[in-house]
Amino acid sequence: MRTEMWRAAHRLVSHRTKNLCDSRRNPNFQCSIHSYSSEKAGRQINYVSIATFHDHCFLAEALAYGLPRLSSNNSWFTYNFSRTCQPFNPYLRHQGSNVQTCIYPTKDYTENLHGSAEMCHGRSFGIQKRFYGSATTTIQRNPEFSAINSEDINHFRDILGEKNVSQDEDRLSAANMDWMRKYRGSSKLLLQPRSTEEGLFGCSVTIEWVAQLSFSSPQLVSQILKYCNSRCLAVVPQGGNTGLVGGSVPVFDEVIICMGSMNNIISFDKVSGILVCEAGCILENLISFLDNQGFIMPLDLGAKGSCQIGGNVSTNAGGLRLVRYGSLHGNVLGLEAVLANGTVLDMLGTLRKDNTGYDLKHLFIGSEGSLGVVTKVSILTPPKLSSVNVAFLACKDYLSCQKLLMEAKRKLGEILSAFEFIDNQSFNLVLNHLEGARNPLPPSMHNFYVLIETTGSDESSDNCYLCDPDEKIKFPEKLTKRLEEDQSNMKFNRQYVTGEEASTARIMGRTMITTGPSQVPREKLEAFLLHSMEGGLISDGVLAQDINQASSFWHIREGIPEATMKAGAVYKYDLSIPVEKMYDLVEEMRVRLGHSATVLGYGHLGDSNLHLNISTPQYDDAIFAQIEPFIYEWTSKHRGSISAEHGIGLMKANKLHYSKSAEAVQLMGSIKKLLDPNGILNPYKVLPSSLVSCS
C-alpha cells in the first residue's frame, strides 16, 4: 500500500513554470533588456524583459520602485509593471532642523509621505532617528566626518573620469535606498571605478580619461580611499544592494563606491577548479561562466541575478548549498582588499594549503566592508555533476522534518545538496501572492513542506552501497544469471558487468553493489523517499521529472521573500538556532502575537538557519514592541545567532551583544580601529556605535 502511495506521489505534474530564466537549471536561457521607459514624475516603468542587467544601477532603480510581477508569454519572460509606482521618500524634513526622521515603510506609504527625495540632497544632517515600531534608534552623524565639496568632486574626476563620478539625482536615489525600501541615506556622490584590463569574458572597458590608464582597478579604489581618509570622508562600498540589514546603503551623506563595473573574470584553472575574479562580478554571471566550463559555484542565492561576489564575500553569504559545500570561509582561498588608508592588501592566493601565520583573509569575509573594500576574490569551485534531482515533500509535523533531515544525512550524505523547509503559513502566502506559484501536491494542505535536492555524477562508483554477505538481495533476472556465471571472479578485486548492469565485489567481508550510469543517484533518492514514506515521515510528495518541474519547486522556496513583500508589511529575522529548538520560536511568536500578525517560519533546515518573517497589514508600534527585543533575547538564551547569513549592517549593530561576549565585541572594535582608525569605512554598521569614532 505504501509503495502504491509513493508511486501515486511520483507522478508527472504539469506546472506553468516561471523560473526557466534561472540559468542554474536552464543553461540555454539568455537574457536582454528590450525596452524601458520612465517618467520622472510618476516613475512609470512600462516594460522590461527579464535581463542580466549589466547596468546594475538601473537594476537597483527598478527594484527600488516596486517589486515586479513575473509573467510569461510563450518563450519570453517579462517583468510587467501595470501600475505607476510613486518614489518612496522615507525622510520628512523638519523646517529649521538638522534632524531627519526615517519612517519604516508601509504598504500604502505614498498616502502619508509628502516629502521629496531631493530634500535629502540639500545639506548634511546631524541626527537621524529611525523608527521601527515603538523603538527609536537615534544615530548621531559623526561630526568629524567632512562634507563633500567641489574640490573633492574635481579630484575624483581626475582619478576616474567624468562619466564615473555621478551626482545624478536618479542614480543617487536608487543607490541611496535598499531594495526593501527600508533604509535610505542622503549621499550626494557616487563613484564607479572600472576595470582597466580585459577579462575572460573578452570585454574590455573603453577608457576616456587618460589619467586612468596608469591605474589598475584596485589602484583606483586605493586612490579613492587614500583621499577620503585624508579628508575624513566616510564611504560605503556597494555591490548589488540586495542586503536586508541596511549594510550597503549610506546612513547619511557617505560617498558611495559602486563596485559593479569591476566585473572581469581574471583566470580559471580547469584542473584545480579555482576561479579568480573581480568583486563586481554578478553571481549569476559566474554561475553561467562556470557552467560552460563544467563547474559550479559553491554559493547559490535567490538574489543571484543582481548580487555581486564581492558583496557575497563581504557578508559571508550562506545560501542554498551550504549544507553541501560549506560557507565562504572554506571556499574562498584568497582575496585582495584595499584598506582605509589606500594600502592594497594582496592575499589573492590560489592554494588550498597555506599554513604561514595568520590567515588574514578571514577578517574581511563577513566584515561587510567595515575593515576594507574587497576588490578581487579567488574561490574554489566544485565540478558540475550531471545527475540533479529535486523532490517536494509534505510532512505532518516539525519532528518529522527533523527526523527526515537525520535520515537524509545518513542515507543521502554524499549526494545531498539542499534541504529546505517551509511551514504551511509560508506556503499559503506564496500560493496567494507569488505569480506563477502552484501547489505541486493534491489540494489538501499539510503542516510542513520540505524541498530536497541531490546532486551526483553518472559514474557507478558514486552509486554503491554495502550489505552483509548473508543478506538476501533481489536482483533482476538477467543480472542474477550474469552474476552466477561470473561468481568465480568475484573475490577481492572489483569486476565490472558490461553495459548498464550492476556489479558486485567482496570488500572486507561485505558485498558492494553498484548500478549503471545515471540511474542510481535518482534510484537512491527514490529508495530513500519510499523508505521515509513507509516510516511515516512523509505524508505526500512528488519527484521532479524534468528541469521545468525542478525550477517550479525552487520557485516556491525562493519566492517567499517576494510574496511577503506583496502581502503587506513584514518584519524579517535571520537566525541560527539549534535544529531541535528552531521552530519553538515560531510557535512562541504565534502565541505572543495572536491574531494580530501572521508568523512565518522557513529556511535552511540543513544548516539550522531559520528565516522568521512576521507579516502584518501595516507596520504597528504595538506589534513591534512584542517582537523586539524578545526575539533577540530568546535566540541568545538558546545559544543561537541573531544573524545566520544576512549580516549585521545597521539593523543589528547595537544588538551584537546578544550573540557576542563583551570581550569579543571589544576585540572586534580594536581590530576596526587598527585597520580603519578614522572610521570612514561603512560607518554606523556592524559594531555598536559607541566603539567607533573618527579620531
Side-chain angles (χ1 to χ4, degrees):
M1 180 63 182
R2 288 285 184 182
T3 302
E4 294 303 319
M5 288 173 60
W6 176 248
R7 286 176 179 169
H10 184 192
R11 57 194 174 273
L12 181 66
V13 182
S14 298
H15 293 290
R16 189 159 61 95
T17 306
K18 299 297 180 183
N19 207 21
L20 288 177
C21 52
D22 186 346
S23 63
R24 177 186 61 180
R25 299 179 177 85
N26 186 6
N28 295 322
F29 174 75
Q30 294 181 350
C31 21
S32 60
I33 298 176
H34 278 267
S35 67
Y36 167 74
S37 64
S38 170
E39 297 174 9
K40 271 193 174 182
R43 190 60 59 183
Q44 175 81 41
I45 302 177
N46 294 329
Y47 171 85
V48 182
S49 287
I50 194 164
T52 304
F53 292 107
H54 294 288
D55 183 351
H56 314 309
C57 293
F58 165 75
L59 171 61
E61 181 177 0
L63 291 175
Y65 290 108
L67 289 172
R69 185 175 71 252
L70 189 63
S71 64
S72 67
N73 180 12
N74 296 327
S75 61
W76 291 101
F77 292 80
T78 62
Y79 283 130
N80 292 320
F81 291 76
S82 58
R83 68 184 188 278
T84 299
C85 302
Q86 299 294 332
F88 171 55
N89 306 308
Y91 291 113
L92 299 183
R93 177 74 173 274
H94 298 281
Q95 295 294 328
S97 171
N98 65 347
V99 176
Q100 63 184 39
T101 303
C102 177
I103 300 177
Y104 203 100
T106 64
K107 186 176 181 181
D108 299 315
Y109 53 80
T110 56
E111 295 179 5
N112 300 319
L113 298 179
H114 307 288
S116 170
E118 285 73 22
M119 292 181 181
C120 294
H121 301 301
R123 67 176 191 178
S124 299
F125 296 99
I127 299 175
Q128 178 176 16
K129 293 182 180 178
R130 295 189 175 275
F131 291 95
Y132 304 106
S134 59
T136 301
T137 301
T138 302
I139 302 175
Q140 175 79 43
R141 183 187 185 277
N142 192 326
E144 297 189 38
F145 286 153
S146 301
I148 287 287
N149 58 38
S150 59
E151 291 183 5
D152 300 326
I153 295 170
N154 289 333
H155 180 82
F156 292 130
R157 285 172 177 163
D158 289 341
I159 298 173
L160 301 174
E162 185 78 25
K163 289 186 177 180
N164 300 320
V165 178
S166 178
Q167 293 180 284
D168 179 74
E169 291 182 358
D170 288 339
R171 285 188 77 181
L172 285 169
S173 180
N176 267 310
M177 182 162 55
D178 73 316
W179 73 276
M180 289 187 63
R181 304 184 297 274
K182 180 179 175 181
Y183 301 97
R184 179 157 190 169
S186 54
S187 176
K188 298 183 282 293
L189 185 65
L190 183 146
L191 306 179
Q192 196 163 2
R194 292 182 177 272
S195 301
T196 59
E197 301 173 355
E198 185 170 328
L200 294 186
F201 279 138
C203 52
S204 58
V205 178
T206 301
I207 303 171
E208 298 181 356
W209 199 257
V210 177
Q212 189 177 351
L213 288 170
S214 61
F215 299 121
S216 64
S217 303
Q219 288 174 328
L220 292 174
V221 177
S222 173
Q223 291 293 313
I224 292 169
L225 292 184
K226 184 177 181 180
Y227 181 82
C228 288
N229 193 53
S230 67
R231 286 269 294 117
C232 211
L233 291 169
V235 300
V236 175
Q238 187 174 95
N241 200 13
T242 59
L244 294 169
V245 292
S248 61
V249 293
V251 177
F252 296 101
D253 57 348
E254 298 91 277
V255 176
I256 300 172
I257 303 178
C258 182
M259 306 297 292
S261 294
M262 296 173 56
N263 56 7
N264 277 338
I265 292 179
I266 298 168
S267 66
F268 180 67
D269 185 345
K270 291 185 178 181
V271 176
S272 63
I274 296 173
L275 172 75
V276 180
C277 64
E278 292 182 314
C281 290
I282 294 176
L283 179 59
E284 189 169 39
N285 289 348
L286 296 178
I287 292 172
S288 299
F289 171 82
L290 290 169
D291 183 72
N292 292 331
Q293 305 295 322
F295 289 77
I296 63 171
M297 282 292 287
L299 175 70
D300 191 10
L301 306 172
K304 57 184 166 286
S306 50
C307 67
Q308 297 171 13
I309 189 64
N312 299 150
V313 170
S314 296
T315 57
N316 189 27
L320 305 169
R321 288 177 174 162
L322 191 138
V323 69
R324 174 72 175 265
Y325 299 113
S327 76
L328 289 176
H329 276 289
N331 291 299
V332 173
L333 300 181
L335 54 81
E336 178 185 79
V338 183
L339 302 183
N341 64 2
T343 300
V344 178
L345 199 58
D346 185 357
M347 302 171 288
L348 200 62
T350 57
L351 302 175
R352 296 190 67 180
K353 286 187 173 182
D354 182 5
N355 200 12
T356 53
Y358 305 133
D359 199 347
L360 296 177
K361 68 175 182 287
H362 292 294
L363 285 176
F364 300 89
I365 301 173
S367 64
E368 302 181 46
S370 64
L371 300 180
V373 178
V374 174
T375 52
K376 294 178 184 176
V377 175
S378 66
I379 187 166
L380 181 66
T381 66
K384 179 175 66 175
L385 304 178
S386 54
S387 179
V388 180
N389 296 287
V390 181
F392 194 84
L393 314 170
C395 298
K396 62 182 179 181
D397 51 35
Y398 181 67
L399 182 60
S400 297
C401 294
Q402 293 182 66
K403 291 181 178 179
L404 190 66
L405 173 62
M406 292 170 58
E407 288 297 299
K409 287 182 175 180
R410 290 193 182 102
K411 297 182 178 178
L412 301 175
E414 76 282 359
I415 63 172
L416 182 66
S417 54
F419 195 103
E420 304 289 305
F421 93 103
I422 307 169
D423 67 9
N424 61 348
Q425 286 87 345
S426 304
F427 191 62
N428 277 330
L429 195 77
V430 168
L431 295 182
N432 292 330
H433 294 280
L434 184 65
E435 182 75 15
R438 297 181 63 182
N439 189 347
L441 301 174
S444 59
M445 294 301 295
H446 303 271
N447 292 326
F448 291 90
Y449 299 87
V450 169
L451 187 153
I452 294 178
E453 181 185 81
T454 62
T455 308
S457 70
D458 287 340
E459 297 177 6
S460 59
S461 59
D462 288 338
N463 309 313
C464 61
Y465 56 94
L466 298 175
C467 62
D468 292 327
D470 296 330
E471 182 180 346
K472 296 194 176 187
I473 306 164
K474 294 183 179 180
F475 295 100
E477 183 177 353
K478 179 181 177 183
L479 178 59
T480 303
K481 183 178 179 181
R482 184 61 178 273
L483 291 175
E484 290 174 352
E485 293 174 355
D486 292 349
Q487 189 173 8
S488 60
N489 294 326
M490 291 164 41
K491 296 181 180 178
F492 292 97
N493 60 323
R494 182 170 176 166
Q495 301 292 329
Y496 285 92
V497 180
T498 60
E500 294 189 359
E501 300 168 359
S503 64
T504 64
R506 288 285 178 182
I507 301 178
M508 298 291 290
R510 297 170 70 84
T511 301
M512 180 177 71
I513 303 154
T514 62
T515 324
S518 299
Q519 295 297 320
V520 176
R522 187 178 182 89
E523 289 176 0
K524 189 171 186 177
L525 177 59
E526 289 175 345
F528 164 76
L529 296 175
L530 178 58
H531 175 77
S532 299
M533 180 166 278
E534 290 174 342
L537 299 182
I538 299 173
S539 306
D540 201 352
V542 58
L543 186 61
Q545 303 298 307
D546 54 37
I547 190 173
N548 295 349
Q549 285 191 3
S551 295
S552 68
F553 296 168
W554 275 112
H555 183 50
I556 294 172
R557 167 59 186 89
E558 293 179 331
I560 298 175
E562 180 181 343
T564 58
M565 291 287 291
K566 291 183 175 180
V570 58
Y571 301 88
K572 287 180 165 291
Y573 297 90
D574 162 55
L575 309 166
S576 189
I577 301 171
V579 172
E580 66 274 11
K581 295 288 185 180
M582 200 161 77
Y583 205 73
D584 291 351
L585 176 58
V586 180
E587 293 175 335
E588 286 196 36
M589 288 307 302
R590 286 184 181 139
V591 173
R592 189 175 179 87
L593 296 175
H595 299 291
S596 62
T598 301
V599 181
L600 315 173
Y602 67 96
H604 317 297
L605 194 64
D607 37 89
S608 306
N609 185 182
L610 172 67
H611 292 310
L612 176 63
N613 287 195
I614 298 169
S615 178
T616 60
Q618 60 187 14
Y619 292 100
D620 185 273
D621 289 357
I623 292 176
F624 184 80
Q626 291 292 309
I627 299 173
E628 290 189 21
F630 175 79
I631 280 181
Y632 297 125
E633 292 171 346
W634 193 98
T635 302
S636 179
K637 177 182 176 182
H638 292 86
R639 304 288 293 178
S641 170
I642 63 170
S643 179
E645 61 181 3
H646 293 168
I648 297 296
L650 177 66
M651 176 182 176
K652 302 176 183 179
N654 290 319
K655 301 174 178 64
L656 199 58
H657 63 278
Y658 286 110
S659 290
K660 300 292 184 184
S661 67
E663 294 78 10
V665 173
Q666 191 65 43
L667 181 58
M668 291 165 67
S670 299
I671 295 172
K672 167 71 172 176
K673 289 182 179 180
L674 175 66
L675 298 181
D676 180 19
N678 289 334
I680 67 166
L681 293 175
N682 217 5
Y684 321 109
K685 320 281 180 62
V686 183
L687 295 173
S689 55
S690 59
L691 288 181
V692 184
S693 63
C694 187
S695 57

